[in-house]
Amino acid sequence: MSDNVKTTAPLGGNPTTARPTTAERTFRPEVQGLRALAVLMVAAYHIWLGRVSGGVDVFLLISAFLLTLSFTRKLENHKPLRLLQHWLHVFKRLLPAVVVVLLAVLTATWAFVPQSRWPDVLAEAWASLLYRQNWQLADSAVDYYAQDHSGASPLQHFWSLSVQGQVFILWPLIFGVVALLQPQLAKLFPGRKVMEHRQLLFMAFGLVFVASLVYSIDQTANNQAYAYFDTRTRLWEFALGSLLALALPYLKPGRRLRVFLGWAGLAAMLSCGLILTVDRSFPGFVALWPTLAAAAVIVAGQSNSRFGADRVLSSKPLVVVGNNSYALYLWHWPVLVFFLLVTETTSPNLLQGLGIMAVSMMLAVATTRYVEVPMRRWQWPDARSWRAAVVVVSCGALLALPMTAWQGAIAAESVAIADQPKELTPGAAALSPGFAGQPTPEAMIIPAPAAMNDEWADIDGLCTGANVPSDPLLQGCLQNNEPAVVTKRIVVLGDSHAQQYMAALGPIAKEHGWEVVTLLKGNCRFGADSPERTSECNDFNKASAAYVMEHKPDAVFTVASLTHVTAPFETEVPGYLEGIKPFTDAGIDVVGVRDNPRFSINMPECVQKKGPDSPDCNPPLEDSLAASSPLDDYVGKVDRLYLMDMSDFICEKGTCPAVVGNVYVYKDDNHLTKTYVQSMIPMFEERLLAATGWSER
C-alpha cells in the first residue's frame, strides 16, 4: 500500500509467441488510483456506514499482484531471488510507520482508555507488531461488523496488515520452490519441453486459489466470525492477484473493451458494500465481487481513451491519496475510535466524519513524508543484510521496551491490589445490617482493572459420566467435581446471569455435598417457548427441560426476572412459570433468584474515568429495577418454587452503585463480578437455606 506502483507493462511481448516477453518497468497510476479508492472506501464505510466495503479485499489482491510481477520478472530474467534480503527490505519499509502509529495509539490509550482495557490493547499491540493480529482477533471472536465502534479496539484494523505480512513471507517461498523445481525438471526430462517458470507459477497459485476458496466458503458458512480473520480463508484473494499478474501479458483487450472493463469494474467495486449484504458473509464467495471488480480495472489498464476510467484513476488527487494509502489505512481507524471514545458518541455525523477523514489524511501525509519516504530512500541498510536486520530489530525494540515496562507496571499494581487485607474490601458484606466497620478510604478497589477479564464465574469442568447430555445442543454442559457423598443434585438453567451466581452457589454446594450441573446459553433466559426469544434459544430451553425431566435432580436453579436497559427496567421472564411447572409437578424444587440491574454504560469503566462517587456511576434504583419485584407475582402460583431476592446486597439507599465495600459490583454493563458475588456467599447461603428449608431436611 505504500510504494509508487511500478510494474511490468501490461502489453509486453509478441502476440504470436507462447511466452510473453518482459517489458520495461513503467509507472501504473491507475493502480495507484485504485488503491486510493480502496482506502477511501474502507474509511468511509467504517466512519459513516459501519459496514464492510470490500476495499480491504482490493488491497490484498493488489499487494499480491505487484509482488508477483516483481518476482516473476526476476525469475524470467534469471536473477537471484535473495529471499532473506527481500524480507528484510519489506519489513524495513513497513515497520517504521507501524511503530509510529502503535506508539501514538498506546499514548492515547494511556490518556483516554479505561484501565480495564489496557491489557487487551497491549496484547493487540504485540500481536500487531508481530503480524499476528488476525489470529488474536479470531481467537477472541471479535465482531468486526459492530456498528458502534466507541468500544472497539483502536488496533482492530491491523488484522489485514497481519495477513499481508504473513503472505509477504509465504509468497516468496512459493517463488523459491518454483525457482528450484524448474531446472530440476529440465534435468529429469532432458530433450523434452519442460514447463517454464510462469506455467509452474500458474499451477501453484491456481491450486492455492481453489483450495483456499473452497475452504473459505465452508468456514464462512460454519464459523464466519473466525473465518473473517483466518489467513487461510484469505489466501485465494492473494492467489487471484498473482494469477492476474501472470496472465496480464496475454490479456490484450481493445480500446472499447478497456473502457467498458474499467468503468464496470469501478462501478462494481464501489457498489459492493451497498448492494450486497456483506455482513456475516465475508470472506466466502461474496468477496469475489470486489476482487474481480478490481481485476477488471487492472486488466483495463491504460485505455488511451479520454472516456476511460483510467483518466479518473490517474488524476493527481487520487494518485496523491494512493501514495499515502498505507499510512491512511493505519491512521483512520484509531482516529475514529478515539474520537468516539472522547466524545462519548456511538457514530459520527457527516461533519464529524469529514473531520476524522481530514485528520487521518494529515497524519498519513506526515507519516509518509517523514517516516516512510526517508526509510525507503535510506541506502545504508540495503548495503548489507545485517544492517537491514538491525533496523528491523531496532524498530521493534522501540515499541517493545515501553510495552514491556507498561505491562510490568500493570502486573505490579495487580499484585498490590490483590494483596490487600480482606477487611479493607468487604464487598457486599458492607451492606449487611450487622456490619460494624466501614471500608478504609485508602483501600484500592478490587479486582484490579487488569484482572477484569477473569471475573466470569467458573465451574470445575465438562459434564462426565451419567451427567453427559445426549442432545448435541447441550454439549457445553458443565459440572462441579462430584462430592464424595452427594446429598443433593442441582441443575442450573438459563444464561450468563445464572452463571454469575455460580461464584456463590459453587462454593456453597461443595460445603454441603451438593452436585451442580449447569446448562447455560448466552442471552437465553430459561422459560417455556416464547416468540420473544430466538428459535435457537427456545430449542436450547426445550433440550434443557428434557435433560431435567430425564435426570430428575433434587432442584433446579434459575433467574426468575428479566432486567432491561430502558423502561420497563424489570419484567417477568417470558413463559417462566409454564417452563418450571413440569419440574415442580415431578417433585423437583425450583429456586428463582431476582435479576440484577442492566445499564447503558460500562460500570467499572465509569469508575475508572470519573471516580466511584460520580452520579453517573451510581444510577437511581428506580432506573435499574422495578418498584415492585416481579417475583411477588409468582408467590403461591406454583408449589415447590422458592424465590430469592438479593437486590438489597446489590443496590442501597436508592441507588445501584458500581462499587460497594471497595469491590467492583459489575464487570461490564450488566454482569456481576465473580469477586463481588463471592463476597455475597454468607448472605446468599443464608437466604437460600431459609427460602428452601434445605438445611432442615
Side-chain angles (χ1 to χ4, degrees):
M1 295 182 209
S2 55
D3 275 343
N4 287 342
V5 185
K6 292 195 173 182
T7 68
T8 53
L11 295 176
N14 187 327
T16 61
T17 60
R19 173 189 170 207
T21 60
T22 303
E24 293 296 322
R25 296 176 70 189
T26 58
F27 180 56
R28 292 180 58 102
E30 75 280 359
V31 176
Q32 200 71 327
L34 192 63
R35 272 178 166 171
L37 282 183
V39 74
L40 290 174
M41 284 172 59
V42 171
Y45 274 65
H46 279 161
I47 292 170
W48 287 295
L49 301 178
R51 300 182 64 180
V52 170
S53 65
V56 167
D57 305 87
V58 174
F59 275 134
L60 303 185
L61 179 135
I62 291 175
S63 63
F65 171 78
L66 298 175
L67 182 66
T68 302
L69 287 177
S70 173
F71 270 89
T72 303
R73 182 166 52 246
K74 288 180 181 180
L75 284 178
E76 294 185 340
N77 289 334
H78 305 290
K79 293 182 179 179
L81 298 183
R82 303 181 191 273
L83 297 187
L84 179 60
Q85 187 180 57
H86 166 78
W87 287 323
L88 289 171
H89 172 75
V90 166
F91 290 105
K92 182 212 77 171
R93 178 170 55 86
L94 296 179
L95 265 182
V98 166
V99 170
V100 167
V101 173
L102 289 177
L103 285 173
V105 167
L106 291 178
T107 302
T109 296
W110 178 83
F112 303 116
V113 174
Q115 290 175 272
S116 54
R117 291 198 215 170
W118 288 0
D120 290 338
V121 174
L122 285 166
E124 290 191 20
W126 279 111
S128 299
L129 177 65
L130 300 174
Y131 287 87
R132 60 170 309 277
Q133 171 75 324
N134 62 310
W135 298 115
Q136 179 92 2
L137 295 176
D139 290 340
S140 57
V142 168
D143 185 2
Y144 195 72
Y145 301 101
Q147 294 193 21
D148 178 5
H149 300 314
S150 57
S153 163
L155 300 177
Q156 191 167 298
H157 66 312
F158 268 85
W159 74 266
S160 65
L161 301 177
S162 296
V163 173
Q164 281 185 304
Q166 294 160 29
V167 170
F168 286 160
I169 293 175
L170 174 62
W171 248 229
L173 290 175
I174 295 176
F175 283 97
V177 170
V178 168
L180 294 173
L181 182 61
Q182 200 276 340
Q184 296 303 317
L185 290 175
K187 290 180 182 179
L188 286 174
F189 304 101
R192 296 185 184 181
K193 185 175 181 180
V194 178
M195 284 189 292
E196 297 182 359
H197 292 111
R198 189 173 294 255
Q199 294 169 306
L200 289 172
L201 290 171
F202 263 120
M203 291 181 59
F205 291 119
L207 288 172
V208 172
F209 175 83
V210 172
S212 174
L213 180 57
V214 170
Y215 178 77
S216 181
I217 292 170
D218 175 72
Q219 290 300 299
T220 302
N222 294 295
N223 190 7
Q224 190 277 333
Y226 191 95
Y228 191 89
F229 302 107
D230 191 336
T231 302
R232 297 164 295 182
T233 65
R234 297 282 181 174
L235 289 179
W236 69 265
E237 296 179 289
F238 292 94
L240 181 60
S242 294
L243 292 171
L244 175 63
L246 295 169
L248 198 60
Y250 300 102
L251 304 175
K252 307 182 187 336
R255 179 183 297 181
R256 291 183 178 179
L257 184 54
R258 287 179 184 274
V259 171
F260 172 78
L261 286 173
W263 285 114
L266 269 186
M269 189 179 88
L270 293 173
S271 64
C272 172
L274 295 175
I275 294 177
L276 298 181
T277 306
V278 297
D279 288 13
R280 323 296 172 188
S281 58
F282 263 53
F285 65 89
V286 175
L288 284 166
W289 180 299
T291 51
L292 290 177
V297 175
I298 293 173
V299 171
Q302 294 289 319
S303 66
N304 297 319
S305 168
R306 59 177 178 162
F307 301 111
D310 56 293
R311 292 288 293 269
V312 175
L313 293 173
S314 303
S315 63
K316 188 173 181 179
L318 280 183
V319 171
V320 169
V321 174
N323 290 341
N324 295 278
S325 59
Y326 175 55
L328 181 56
Y329 182 83
L330 286 174
W331 280 113
H332 86 280
W333 181 261
V335 170
L336 169 63
V337 169
F338 284 114
F339 169 81
L340 297 177
L341 182 67
V342 171
T343 60
E344 297 185 345
T345 55
T346 56
S347 61
N349 58 34
L350 177 61
L351 188 60
Q352 292 170 334
L354 290 174
I356 291 169
M357 285 283 248
V359 171
S360 301
M361 191 65 199
M362 287 189 289
L363 290 170
V365 170
T367 303
T368 301
R369 179 176 298 178
Y370 299 113
V371 179
E372 275 194 79
V373 172
M375 289 298 295
R376 194 186 312 145
R377 292 176 178 172
W378 190 19
Q379 297 298 316
W380 180 83
D382 295 331
R384 297 284 189 275
S385 294
W386 68 266
R387 294 182 180 181
V390 167
V391 172
V392 171
V393 172
S394 298
C395 285
L398 189 63
L399 183 66
L401 291 176
M403 286 200 301
T404 301
W406 193 355
Q407 288 179 316
I410 290 174
E413 180 189 46
S414 298
V415 170
I417 291 174
D419 286 346
Q420 294 179 107
K422 295 295 184 183
E423 58 268 20
L424 300 184
T425 55
L431 302 182
S432 297
F435 185 70
Q438 293 294 325
T440 304
E442 300 82 42
M444 294 177 285
I445 302 171
I446 64 170
M452 201 59 77
N453 286 342
D454 299 324
E455 284 299 304
W456 285 109
D458 49 20
I459 196 167
D460 294 327
L462 291 172
C463 292
T464 59
N467 290 326
V468 177
S470 57
D471 194 318
L473 285 176
L474 306 178
Q475 286 179 349
C477 172
L478 297 172
Q479 69 178 68
N480 63 352
N481 293 326
E482 186 174 353
V485 178
V486 177
T487 61
K488 193 176 295 293
R489 300 184 188 276
I490 302 173
V491 174
V492 180
L493 302 181
D495 54 15
S496 56
H497 281 222
Q499 176 187 348
Q500 64 193 3
Y501 280 110
M502 287 306 303
L505 183 59
I508 294 169
K510 290 181 180 180
E511 180 183 343
H512 289 271
W514 302 341
E515 179 187 75
V516 177
V517 170
T518 66
L519 301 175
L520 305 171
K521 181 178 177 64
N523 197 30
C524 184
R525 191 65 49 90
F526 180 76
D529 263 14
S530 170
E532 298 180 47
R533 296 191 184 88
T534 65
S535 58
E536 292 83 1
C537 179
N538 281 326
D539 290 343
F540 183 86
N541 283 340
K542 285 181 184 177
S544 300
Y547 178 93
V548 171
M549 297 305 293
E550 176 188 354
H551 287 77
K552 296 290 195 309
D554 298 291
V556 168
F557 181 88
T558 63
V559 177
S561 67
L562 182 62
T563 52
H564 311 275
V565 175
T566 57
F569 297 106
E570 186 182 14
T571 62
E572 296 181 6
V573 175
Y576 180 73
L577 294 180
E578 295 87 342
I580 65 168
K581 196 167 187 312
F583 307 155
T584 58
D585 288 347
I588 301 170
D589 290 346
V590 174
V591 177
V593 66
R594 189 178 186 184
D595 203 359
N596 60 269
R598 295 175 187 260
F599 307 98
S600 59
I601 59 171
N602 185 299
M603 293 293 270
E605 291 183 4
C606 178
V607 172
Q608 292 156 26
K609 289 191 289 186
K610 302 178 181 181
D613 297 326
S614 169
D616 292 339
C617 310
N618 295 268
L621 173 62
E622 65 232 27
D623 293 344
S624 304
L625 294 172
S628 176
S629 171
L631 273 61
D632 294 340
D633 295 334
Y634 298 149
V635 175
K637 293 184 178 179
V638 176
D639 290 338
R640 307 186 77 95
L641 171 60
Y642 304 105
L643 300 169
M644 290 177 58
D645 187 345
M646 302 297 298
S647 62
D648 54 327
F649 289 103
I650 298 173
C651 301
E652 62 159 344
K653 298 178 182 178
T655 64
C656 294
V659 175
V660 171
N662 284 331
V663 177
Y664 282 112
V665 180
Y666 304 93
K667 74 175 301 296
D668 47 33
D669 60 354
N670 72 99
H671 294 100
L672 302 175
T673 63
K674 176 171 64 176
T675 301
Y676 191 77
V677 175
Q678 287 171 341
S679 75
M680 297 171 65
I681 287 177
M683 297 77 81
F684 190 95
E685 180 179 21
E686 180 183 353
R687 292 200 176 171
L688 175 64
L689 297 180
T692 59
W694 288 348
S695 58
E696 300 172 1
R697 297 182 188 179

